Amino acid sequence: MSNEEILLNKVLDASSNTIWDELKKIRESSELEKKTIRRRWIWELIQNASDCTPKGKKIDIKIVYSNNQIIFSHNGLPFSYGNLLDLITQISSKPSSEEKKTGKFGTGFMSTHLLSEIVQIEGSFIHEENKYTNLVFTVDRSGDHYSDIKNKTKIMLEQLELVSRNQEELKEKYVDTKFIYSIEDDDIIEAVEEGILDLKETIPYVLTFNENINSITYNGNCYKKGTEITSNKNDKLKVVQINASDSNKKLLILNENNVTIGCSIESKNDKLYFLPLSSTIPKIFCEFPLLGTEEFSFPIVVNSNLFEVERDRNAIRDSNPVNNELIKVAVSLYKELIDYCSKSTMTRNEFNICILKPSTSSTIQAYSYKEIKEHIEKSAIVPIHNHLGGLKRLAFKDNNGKVKIAIPKTKKSIHKDLLWDILSNYNGVSIPIKDTYLGWAAVFEENVGFYWINNIFKDSSIDKLIVWLKDKTQYADWLNTFYSLWIRDVGVEEVVESAFVPNQINEFVQFGNIYLDKNIDNELKNILILLGGKINGQLLNQDIISFEHYFEEHPNKIKTNEICSDQIDIKVSQLLSKEAIDRVERKESTQKIFNRLTNWFLSNPEKSKEWFENLYSKRMMLSSPEENLRRYKIAEKIEENNIKYEELDEIINNRDKVIEIINNSELSREDIIDQLKHIVTSTEEMKRYVEKLLCRSTENIFNYLSSLKNYTLPATLEKWMNEKYSDTVFPAKYKGDDIRIVIRPSDYQKIIFYYDEELEALDDYAYQLWTDDGEKQKMVTLGDLLKTTGISKIPLTKI
């Protein structure tokens, strides 16, 4: 054997060993690794095609996939003897300094044999400068043994020699180079289709980053780089359009020092919307995607042709100083992008470019994560809900690291929108606008849930809560919505363990200390309170209805008229016992309480017998001899004057009117007599007339005050009427403080006070006198009274 034959045999052995080892590695990979390798096939072919680009030109790539066959073609430089030899032997003739070039048909091309062990190559072969012949060549890597691979490598080398000697029909132009794969296995078909999906998602980035490729066409759909627009505010920032037969795509990129970062965008209504980055798109590109970098700790895509990549092109080298510097440039560019967004009124959905995952195994990724996370948190990029409209952005954290933005947090995802609605009516927190809060939750995580809201009720009151609500009149609805949603989210048993709820004196207390008020008679509650009971602090605010089903299943948490009456009975019996045993003299205040209870007995005899079985039988003890005598004298006077009980209220009211008429200095004697006669002869008519005036004035003033921002009234006129102190005195809040509103008609430019409750209300500091003449509502002040009456001196001797 000659020396040349020995050398060729050693080269063949070396080649076969390399190929056999690589095939074994690919064939014996795990199913997961095989799936990843099969995803890479398209990029190995595109990378090799890119390296065949003629100097100063660009190439076009076409992929046709049909009938279980892939035809990959490009119009770059055709095969030379050296190219084909590299492909056959897998022994590169290129020095290590040129290993950035992947057209050497190295192990990357070998991985495409997972699609098909036999690849048909068609195209042209370079014989000499500008002279080409047709090329039809089969690359066969089939076989189960080393000897099979060696024999087929030897055959391919022999075929190469034949191709190189063939100079028939030399041509001056070359044709497209084609790689033809036949696909039969279902698993491989699935992998091919995944690779095609990757291709479609990634083509815009490849065409943007790679200067060699003019277009990529898949099954007739052609992708090509279009216009490129540079920002007026930052010349590093550009918008690149990728035109396609079916639709156009846009990328926003920033470039500096051989580093480019990019993300997908769309323009809509003169706004720029950032689109989500698919989880299957690699984050790192070296002109081409590095499959395996999908989880890299960077929010968008980073490209540099200077990256030092791993042999399998699935990562960049973590400890490489060049890579570290390149990532630092990428982080700096990303910060510029975020700063641009924080100052812009045109960008939207920034959360799509802010999602990143931490890495514990990579130093370079740990640096990227820390720098970017801190910058995102302290940049004013989150659009905040503002019921008044307009764009307002806030940072998630202030400079001290304190969280400033609330993101709804629920156990069940279907409740998140409803919790957002609840938070949107609470001024105590800032929340992202509804269309974006789920996106920001993916960036910063959810942080404000039911327990956080519940905690603001602790040691608080409804009055304090109302201050923070945008819709102050609907506080009960707001609370009911909150409690009901909380119950639906985690279950009522968990809620009642923690909830703070309002009682009937509008203080929030723990649910364990509250009871349901099952229509307890209001007068009985008032009597019990006067006797020292604290029932109103123990009863749930009657506007809160969210826990009805819970109370149905826990009757021990319900207080009834019977329970209330039992407590009254106990307290009254204790007082009576002290009077009988200890000879304690009854106080006037105690007698007034007993009078109210006696009156209730008189008005509700049947209920009294049922609920006060013990006390009702000795009800006469509730009145002292002095009190009985006083009442008898009043009754005697009434009977002496032949006055019916039903007429008493009307007579008492008319007394004030009579005094008003008599004291009116502007009336003549005849006018006074006429008015008094009218009261006496037509009191029912006057009553109906006055009632009509009062109803009109009450409704008009309610509607007017409800429209003023400083006043807080119940949600409806009906509720206000139910809460009134009398027919003309009503509760309200003015700038958060409790006041009483006195309502009087002012027809004929006069105000007449008929009821004691009106004077009692005016004899206080927290009151307002409002009048209505049927058209205009007006508050009357002391100054108004002094001016209109001409009073300049007020005697104080009788006050």
Side-chain angles (χ1 to χ4, degrees), residues 55 77-81 124-133 164 167 170-174:
K55 188 174 182 179
L77 293 172
F79 274 101
S80 66
Y81 181 89
S124 297
F125 182 82
I126 302 173
H127 271 279
E128 54 188 83
E129 189 173 357
N130 299 325
K131 298 294 181 180
Y132 312 95
T133 59
S164 67
Q167 296 194 17
L170 287 176
K171 300 177 182 179
E172 294 183 357
K173 292 184 178 180
Y174 58 85

Side-chain angles (χ1 to χ4, degrees), residues 44-45 48 87 105-113 119 139 179 181:
E44 301 298 346
L45 294 175
N48 288 333
L87 188 149
F105 298 99
T107 57
F109 181 79
M110 287 291 297
S111 68
T112 69
H113 286 298
V119 182
V139 179
F179 296 82
Y181 295 80

Side-chain angles (χ1 to χ4, degrees), residues 236-255:
K236 300 176 188 176
L237 193 151
K238 298 177 183 179
V239 174
V240 179
Q241 180 161 310
I242 305 298
N243 298 322
S245 303
D246 55 357
S247 64
N248 296 332
K249 308 288 184 181
K250 287 183 179 179
L251 292 185
L252 185 146
I253 64 170
L254 281 87
N255 180 274

